[in-house]
Amino acid sequence: MIPTAISIVGTVILVLDVFAIISVLMGSSGVMRKVLWIALILLLPILGMGLYFLIGRNSADAHA
């Protein structure tokens, strides 16, 4: 039971990280800023994704 729950949580985190990376790539930020956000998301998956959606998105990107 526990390994199944862990794999489901891991899959959800992976999907959300991929969504965050796609969001970074489609944003209007500069290349260096995109590279830094993607590196943060890959190195710290949960924290990086959370920080990006809380403080990393431009107001123009958030409504697009």
Side-chain angles (χ1 to χ4, degrees), residues 9-24:
V9 170
T11 303
V12 168
I13 292 170
L14 176 66
V15 168
L16 290 174
D17 283 342
V18 169
F19 177 73
I21 290 171
I22 291 171
S23 179
V24 169

Side-chain angles (χ1 to χ4, degrees), residues 1 35 64:
M1 179 80 176
V35 169

Side-chain angles (χ1 to χ4, degrees), residues 3-4 8-9 16 27 36 38 41 47-49 51 54-55 57 63-64:
T4 303
I8 290 172
V9 170
L16 290 174
L36 291 174
I38 291 171
I41 292 168
L47 183 63
M49 172 190 54
L51 287 174
L54 287 175
I55 63 172
R57 295 177 76 179
H63 299 335

Side-chain angles (χ1 to χ4, degrees), residues 30-59:
V31 173
M32 191 57 154
R33 185 176 167 107
K34 289 180 181 182
V35 169
L36 291 174
W37 275 115
I38 291 171
L40 184 65
I41 292 168
L42 291 175
L43 291 173
L44 303 169
I46 298 170
L47 183 63
M49 172 190 54
L51 287 174
Y52 174 71
F53 285 120
L54 287 175
I55 63 172
R57 295 177 76 179
N58 296 332
S59 59

